[in-house]
Amino acid sequence: MLKRMFKLRSFVNDIPLNYKFFLIFFVGVLLPILVINLLVMDRMSTLIKAREEQNLEISLERARKDIHDFIDGGVAVSHALSTDKTLYEMLDREYKNQLDFYDTFDEQLRNRVTSYIPVNNQIQRIGIYTDNATIVNGGNYHIVNDDVLKSDWYRLWKTSQNPVFVAAYRAMEANNTASTVPYLSVIEKMDYYDSYNKHEKLLRIDIDLNKIYDVIVREKDYLNLYLVNENNQIIMSADSGYQRGKTGGYPVFQLKEDDRQQDVHTVAIGTARYVKGWRLVGITQGVRISKAMTEMRLYIGAVAAFVALFATTFIFIMLRSYNYRVKRLSRHMQKVTNEKFDLIQIAEGRDEIGGLIQNFNGMTARIKFLINNVYKLEIQKKDLEMERVRAEINFLQSQMTPHFLFNTLNAILVVCTKNNYTDVTDIIKSLSKLLRRLLSWKEDVVSLEEEMMFIEMYLKIEKFRFRDKFDYRFDIDEEVLRYKIPKMSIQPLVENACKHGIQAIDGVGMVKVSAFVIDGRLRVNISDNGRGMESAKLKEILLSVRTEDSSSGISIGIRNVYRRLELYYNDQVRFDIVSSPNQGTTVFFEIPVRILEQAV
């Protein structure tokens, strides 16, 4: 046994790779395709027949239910009207003249019948017939005259023994006596109340044949349907429709010679007495089965193609695994000769080639480790030491600069205090507080009160610069000071007003900062009485503020404020600039108070 296995292994090892892969392709692709075609074809044929039979039953039942619902809906409306006591009373009343009837018609009868039609869209019309000669014939109310007594529907109802009768008949068209119109009607005698039997009353509800025809045509892909009445007459079919314009009776249902070879399915429309004998006959379409078989062959072909593609891909992966790894190993061995000890970063596998790659990576890693220990590791340590010293120096310098600035300001402040330079003393105090606040202001969101204190220090410095040519004013509601907003949201706008608004005017410049709540929104206004700007310039600034393009360099401070507000509040913030030449400029933004309340 062992000798046979050894001989088989030797035989397999002696086969060239090309022949091996050809055998893999034949056994892994062609043979499975043949087996799949033989086994699946028979199984799929059985499944398709069973599925098509089920689809036919579903189609027939779906059409039967819809047609039954149409007729049953008409019967339900018939029952509702036949139990309407007020309708009985109005139809039994003797009217003095036409005017007396029209008064009653307007008050009681006009919408009593027609109100059912919008809810039951399968109903085409509703007619009530009575032998009360005092009513006015027309609309939904008719007198039983000779024409009615001679009509087919009345004759069919008279011969019926059912209290509710479903009749299929033809009647002459009103404008063309040579042509007929088919009808399907629910007829019921109105005798529910014995006290209102003075006049005979008859109710006729016409079903819209278009609705039933749509149902029959809808199922044409599955079955050729015939609606047959209790007299075995074809009332409607997908081929002939409902035979509008024809004269004579309905044709009798008989199977054609071609139809006898097809499956015939028959189902009763319902179990109620008024549809007893009515049935729906469905004849299968032969093309449906052939179409299903074609689809099956396409499916099996797709499966076979997938199997072939899968096997071909498998063979390609096997070849690539062999060829790709050998080439990578050869390239990295060449790099070793050039003192590049790179590892082979691939999944090496567990076969012989994988073993070679593992041994090569181990050898390369050991050589690289020895070189790093002897030479490169020392250089890296020196570089790291230099970086550490450089970082410490930068840290000491970053601490020294602000302390030096504060110490210098304090020295100037002492000198100014000794010499009684009051203005200079105040402005240095404000500048010192402002710088200290900038360096220690780590919070991203601050209260409006803190923001206003910062702005006041900034404006004191500007007041010192411009002296009598500049003034400022605050108008802040106390209730809004607790709300928190992004820091530095107002200062750039104030700075912009001082820089561009009031420097170019001859009189006293005024900057006003106000904050208040209006219509559920916190509104912050920064206005000046400067020279303002033209509408074209204003549009340019607004466009620059609301776009991402900052290459123009226009209003960078305003754009930054707008971007930060948009970042915090998305599309909830309102931001705008109002300006006119020589009328000053107002910049304002509004934030919903409900958002600010959540952050308090």
Coordinates of all heavy atoms in Angstrom, one line a residue, residues 221-272:
D221 N -51.0 37.5 -18.7 CA -49.7 36.8 -18.8 C -49.8 35.4 -18.2 O -49.0 34.6 -18.6 CB -48.7 37.7 -18.1 CG -48.3 39.0 -18.8 OD1 -48.7 39.0 -20.0 OD2 -47.8 39.9 -18.2
Y222 N -50.7 35.2 -17.3 CA -50.8 33.9 -16.7 C -52.0 33.0 -17.3 O -51.8 31.9 -17.7 CB -51.1 34.0 -15.2 CG -50.0 34.7 -14.4 CD1 -50.0 36.1 -14.2 CD2 -48.9 34.0 -13.9 CE1 -49.0 36.7 -13.5 CE2 -47.9 34.6 -13.2 CZ -48.0 35.9 -13.0 OH -46.9 36.5 -12.3
L223 N -53.2 33.6 -17.4 CA -54.3 32.9 -17.9 C -55.2 33.7 -18.9 O -55.2 35.0 -18.7 CB -55.2 32.5 -16.7 CG -54.6 31.5 -15.7 CD1 -55.5 31.5 -14.4 CD2 -54.6 30.1 -16.3
N224 N -55.8 33.0 -19.8 CA -56.8 33.7 -20.6 C -58.1 33.5 -19.9 O -58.7 32.4 -19.9 CB -56.8 33.1 -22.0 CG -57.7 33.9 -23.0 OD1 -58.1 35.0 -22.7 ND2 -57.9 33.3 -24.2
L225 N -58.7 34.5 -19.3 CA -59.8 34.4 -18.4 C -61.1 34.7 -19.1 O -61.2 35.5 -20.0 CB -59.7 35.4 -17.2 CG -58.5 35.1 -16.2 CD1 -58.4 36.2 -15.2 CD2 -58.6 33.7 -15.6
Y226 N -62.2 33.9 -18.7 CA -63.5 34.1 -19.2 C -64.4 34.2 -17.9 O -64.4 33.4 -17.0 CB -64.0 32.9 -20.0 CG -63.2 32.7 -21.3 CD1 -62.0 32.0 -21.3 CD2 -63.7 33.3 -22.5 CE1 -61.3 31.9 -22.5 CE2 -63.0 33.1 -23.7 CZ -61.8 32.4 -23.6 OH -61.1 32.3 -24.8
L227 N -65.2 35.3 -17.9 CA -66.3 35.5 -16.9 C -67.6 34.9 -17.4 O -68.1 35.4 -18.4 CB -66.4 37.0 -16.5 CG -67.5 37.3 -15.5 CD1 -67.2 36.6 -14.1 CD2 -67.6 38.8 -15.3
V228 N -68.1 33.8 -16.8 CA -69.2 33.1 -17.3 C -70.3 33.2 -16.2 O -70.1 33.0 -15.0 CB -68.9 31.6 -17.5 CG1 -70.1 30.9 -18.1 CG2 -67.7 31.5 -18.5
N229 N -71.6 33.4 -16.7 CA -72.7 33.6 -15.8 C -73.4 32.2 -15.5 O -72.9 31.2 -16.0 CB -73.7 34.6 -16.3 CG -74.4 34.2 -17.6 OD1 -74.1 33.1 -18.1 ND2 -75.3 35.0 -18.1
E230 N -74.5 32.2 -14.8 CA -75.2 31.0 -14.5 C -75.8 30.3 -15.7 O -76.1 29.1 -15.6 CB -76.3 31.2 -13.4 CG -77.5 32.0 -14.0 CD -77.3 33.5 -14.1 OE1 -76.2 33.9 -13.9 OE2 -78.3 34.2 -14.3
N231 N -75.9 31.0 -16.8 CA -76.4 30.4 -18.0 C -75.3 29.9 -19.0 O -75.6 29.7 -20.2 CB -77.4 31.3 -18.7 CG -78.6 31.7 -17.9 OD1 -79.1 30.8 -17.2 ND2 -79.0 33.0 -17.9
N232 N -74.1 29.8 -18.5 CA -72.9 29.4 -19.3 C -72.6 30.4 -20.4 O -72.1 30.0 -21.5 CB -73.1 28.0 -19.8 CG -71.8 27.3 -20.1 OD1 -70.8 27.6 -19.4 ND2 -71.7 26.5 -21.1
Q233 N -73.0 31.6 -20.2 CA -72.7 32.7 -21.2 C -71.5 33.4 -20.9 O -71.2 33.8 -19.7 CB -73.9 33.6 -21.4 CG -75.2 33.0 -21.9 CD -76.4 33.9 -21.8 OE1 -76.5 34.8 -20.9 NE2 -77.3 33.8 -22.8
I234 N -70.7 33.8 -21.9 CA -69.4 34.5 -21.7 C -69.8 36.0 -21.6 O -70.2 36.6 -22.5 CB -68.4 34.3 -22.8 CG1 -68.1 32.8 -23.0 CG2 -67.2 35.1 -22.6 CD1 -67.2 32.5 -24.2
I235 N -69.7 36.5 -20.4 CA -70.0 37.9 -20.1 C -68.8 38.8 -20.5 O -69.0 39.9 -21.1 CB -70.3 38.2 -18.7 CG1 -71.5 37.2 -18.2 CG2 -70.7 39.6 -18.4 CD1 -72.7 37.3 -19.1
M236 N -67.6 38.3 -20.3 CA -66.4 39.1 -20.6 C -65.2 38.1 -20.7 O -65.2 37.1 -20.1 CB -66.2 40.1 -19.5 CG -65.1 41.1 -19.8 SD -64.8 42.2 -18.4 CE -66.5 43.0 -18.3
S237 N -64.3 38.5 -21.6 CA -63.0 37.8 -21.7 C -61.9 38.7 -22.1 O -62.2 39.9 -22.5 CB -63.2 36.6 -22.7 OG -63.3 37.2 -24.0
A238 N -60.7 38.2 -22.0 CA -59.5 39.1 -22.3 C -59.5 39.4 -23.8 O -59.1 40.5 -24.3 CB -58.2 38.5 -21.8
D239 N -59.9 38.4 -24.6 CA -59.8 38.6 -26.1 C -60.9 39.4 -26.6 O -60.7 40.4 -27.4 CB -59.8 37.2 -26.8 CG -58.6 36.4 -26.4 OD1 -57.6 37.0 -26.1 OD2 -58.7 35.1 -26.4
S240 N -62.2 39.1 -26.2 CA -63.3 39.8 -26.8 C -63.8 41.0 -26.0 O -64.7 41.7 -26.4 CB -64.5 38.8 -26.9 OG -64.9 38.3 -25.7
G241 N -63.2 41.2 -24.8 CA -63.7 42.3 -24.0 C -65.1 42.1 -23.4 O -65.4 40.9 -23.1
Y242 N -65.9 43.1 -23.3 CA -67.2 42.9 -22.9 C -68.2 43.2 -24.0 O -69.4 43.6 -23.8 CB -67.6 43.7 -21.6 CG -67.1 45.1 -21.6 CD1 -67.8 46.2 -22.1 CD2 -65.8 45.4 -21.0 CE1 -67.3 47.5 -22.1 CE2 -65.4 46.7 -21.0 CZ -66.1 47.7 -21.5 OH -65.6 49.0 -21.5
Q243 N -67.8 43.1 -25.2 CA -68.6 43.0 -26.4 C -69.5 44.2 -26.6 O -70.7 44.1 -26.7 CB -69.4 41.7 -26.4 CG -68.5 40.5 -26.3 CD -69.3 39.2 -26.2 OE1 -70.5 39.2 -26.1 NE2 -68.6 38.1 -26.0
R244 N -68.9 45.4 -26.5 CA -69.7 46.6 -26.6 C -70.1 46.8 -28.1 O -69.3 46.6 -29.0 CB -68.9 47.8 -26.1 CG -69.6 49.1 -26.2 CD -68.7 50.3 -25.7 NE -69.4 51.5 -25.8 CZ -70.1 52.0 -24.8 NH1 -70.2 51.4 -23.6 NH2 -70.8 53.2 -24.9
G245 N -71.3 47.2 -28.3 CA -71.8 47.5 -29.7 C -72.4 46.3 -30.4 O -73.0 46.5 -31.5
K246 N -72.3 45.1 -29.8 CA -72.8 43.9 -30.5 C -74.3 43.8 -30.2 O -74.8 44.2 -29.1 CB -72.0 42.7 -30.1 CG -70.6 42.7 -30.6 CD -69.9 41.4 -30.2 CE -68.5 41.4 -30.7 NZ -67.8 40.1 -30.4
T247 N -75.0 43.1 -31.0 CA -76.4 42.8 -30.8 C -76.6 41.3 -30.6 O -75.7 40.5 -30.9 CB -77.2 43.2 -32.0 OG1 -76.7 42.6 -33.2 CG2 -77.1 44.8 -32.2
G248 N -77.7 40.9 -30.1 CA -78.0 39.5 -29.8 C -77.5 39.2 -28.4 O -77.0 40.0 -27.6
G249 N -77.7 37.9 -28.0 CA -77.3 37.5 -26.7 C -75.8 37.2 -26.6 O -75.1 37.3 -27.5
Y250 N -75.5 36.9 -25.3 CA -74.1 36.6 -25.1 C -73.7 35.3 -25.6 O -74.5 34.3 -25.6 CB -73.8 36.6 -23.6 CG -73.8 38.0 -22.9 CD1 -74.9 38.5 -22.3 CD2 -72.7 38.9 -23.1 CE1 -74.9 39.8 -21.7 CE2 -72.7 40.1 -22.5 CZ -73.8 40.6 -21.8 OH -73.8 41.8 -21.3
P251 N -72.5 35.1 -26.1 CA -72.1 33.7 -26.7 C -72.0 32.7 -25.5 O -71.6 33.0 -24.4 CB -70.7 34.0 -27.3 CG -70.2 35.2 -26.6 CD -71.4 36.1 -26.2
V252 N -72.3 31.5 -25.9 CA -72.2 30.4 -24.9 C -70.7 29.9 -24.9 O -70.0 29.9 -25.9 CB -73.1 29.2 -25.4 CG1 -72.9 28.0 -24.4 CG2 -74.5 29.6 -25.4
F253 N -70.2 29.6 -23.6 CA -68.8 29.2 -23.4 C -68.6 27.8 -23.9 O -69.3 26.9 -23.5 CB -68.5 29.3 -22.0 CG -67.1 28.9 -21.7 CD1 -66.0 29.6 -22.0 CD2 -66.9 27.6 -21.1 CE1 -64.7 29.2 -21.7 CE2 -65.6 27.2 -20.8 CZ -64.5 28.0 -21.1
Q254 N -67.7 27.6 -24.9 CA -67.3 26.3 -25.4 C -65.8 26.3 -25.6 O -65.3 27.3 -26.1 CB -68.0 26.0 -26.7 CG -69.5 25.7 -26.5 CD -70.2 25.3 -27.8 OE1 -69.6 25.6 -28.9 NE2 -71.4 24.8 -27.8
L255 N -65.1 25.2 -25.2 CA -63.7 25.1 -25.4 C -63.4 24.9 -26.9 O -64.0 24.1 -27.5 CB -63.1 24.0 -24.6 CG -63.0 24.2 -23.0 CD1 -62.5 23.0 -22.4 CD2 -62.1 25.4 -22.7
K256 N -62.4 25.7 -27.3 CA -61.9 25.5 -28.7 C -61.0 24.2 -28.7 O -60.6 23.7 -27.7 CB -61.2 26.7 -29.2 CG -62.0 28.0 -29.2 CD -61.1 29.2 -29.6 CE -61.9 30.4 -29.6 NZ -61.1 31.6 -29.9
E257 N -60.7 23.8 -30.0 CA -59.9 22.6 -30.1 C -58.5 22.8 -29.6 O -57.9 21.9 -28.9 CB -59.8 22.2 -31.6 CG -59.2 20.8 -31.8 CD -59.9 19.7 -31.2 OE1 -61.2 19.8 -31.1 OE2 -59.3 18.7 -30.8
D258 N -58.0 24.0 -29.8 CA -56.6 24.4 -29.3 C -56.6 24.5 -27.8 O -55.6 24.1 -27.1 CB -56.1 25.7 -29.9 CG -55.9 25.6 -31.4 OD1 -55.8 24.4 -31.9 OD2 -56.0 26.6 -32.1
D259 N -57.7 24.9 -27.2 CA -57.8 25.1 -25.8 C -57.9 23.8 -25.0 O -57.6 23.7 -23.8 CB -59.0 26.0 -25.4 CG -58.8 27.4 -25.9 OD1 -57.6 27.8 -26.1 OD2 -59.8 28.2 -26.1
R260 N -58.4 22.7 -25.7 CA -58.6 21.5 -25.0 C -57.2 20.9 -24.7 O -57.1 20.0 -23.8 CB -59.4 20.5 -25.9 CG -60.8 20.9 -26.2 CD -61.5 19.9 -27.1 NE -62.8 20.4 -27.5 CZ -63.9 20.3 -26.8 NH1 -63.9 19.6 -25.6 NH2 -65.1 20.7 -27.2
Q261 N -56.2 21.2 -25.4 CA -54.8 20.7 -25.1 C -54.2 21.5 -24.0 O -53.1 21.1 -23.5 CB -54.0 20.8 -26.4 CG -54.5 20.0 -27.5 CD -53.7 20.2 -28.8 OE1 -52.7 20.9 -28.8 NE2 -54.1 19.6 -29.9
Q262 N -54.8 22.6 -23.5 CA -54.2 23.4 -22.4 C -54.9 23.0 -21.1 O -56.0 22.4 -21.1 CB -54.4 24.9 -22.7 CG -53.8 25.3 -24.0 CD -52.3 25.2 -24.0 OE1 -51.6 25.2 -23.0 NE2 -51.7 25.2 -25.3
D263 N -54.3 23.4 -20.0 CA -54.9 23.2 -18.7 C -56.0 24.2 -18.5 O -55.8 25.4 -18.8 CB -53.9 23.4 -17.6 CG -52.9 22.2 -17.6 OD1 -53.2 21.1 -18.1 OD2 -51.8 22.4 -17.1
V264 N -57.2 23.7 -18.1 CA -58.3 24.6 -17.9 C -58.6 24.7 -16.4 O -58.8 23.6 -15.7 CB -59.6 24.1 -18.6 CG1 -60.8 25.1 -18.4 CG2 -59.3 24.1 -20.1
H265 N -58.7 25.9 -15.8 CA -58.9 26.1 -14.4 C -60.3 26.8 -14.2 O -60.5 27.8 -14.9 CB -57.8 26.9 -13.7 CG -56.5 26.2 -13.9 ND1 -55.9 25.5 -12.9 CD2 -55.6 26.2 -14.9 CE1 -54.7 25.1 -13.3 NE2 -54.5 25.5 -14.5
T266 N -61.1 26.3 -13.4 CA -62.4 26.9 -13.1 C -62.6 27.1 -11.6 O -62.3 26.3 -10.8 CB -63.5 26.0 -13.6 OG1 -63.3 25.7 -15.0 CG2 -64.9 26.7 -13.5
V267 N -63.1 28.3 -11.3 CA -63.4 28.7 -9.9 C -64.7 29.5 -9.8 O -65.0 30.3 -10.7 CB -62.2 29.4 -9.3 CG1 -62.0 30.8 -9.9 CG2 -62.4 29.7 -7.8
A268 N -65.5 29.2 -8.8 CA -66.8 29.9 -8.6 C -66.5 31.3 -8.1 O -65.5 31.5 -7.3 CB -67.7 29.2 -7.6
I269 N -67.2 32.3 -8.5 CA -67.0 33.6 -8.1 C -67.3 33.8 -6.6 O -66.6 34.5 -5.9 CB -67.9 34.6 -8.9 CG1 -67.5 34.6 -10.4 CG2 -67.9 36.0 -8.4 CD1 -66.1 35.1 -10.6
G270 N -68.3 33.1 -6.1 CA -68.6 33.2 -4.7 C -69.7 32.2 -4.3 O -70.1 31.4 -5.1
T271 N -70.0 32.2 -3.0 CA -71.0 31.2 -2.5 C -72.3 31.8 -2.3 O -73.3 31.1 -1.9 CB -70.4 30.6 -1.2 OG1 -70.2 31.7 -0.3 CG2 -69.1 29.9 -1.4
A272 N -72.5 33.1 -2.4 CA -73.8 33.8 -2.1 C -74.8 33.4 -3.2 O -74.4 33.0 -4.4 CB -73.6 35.3 -2.1

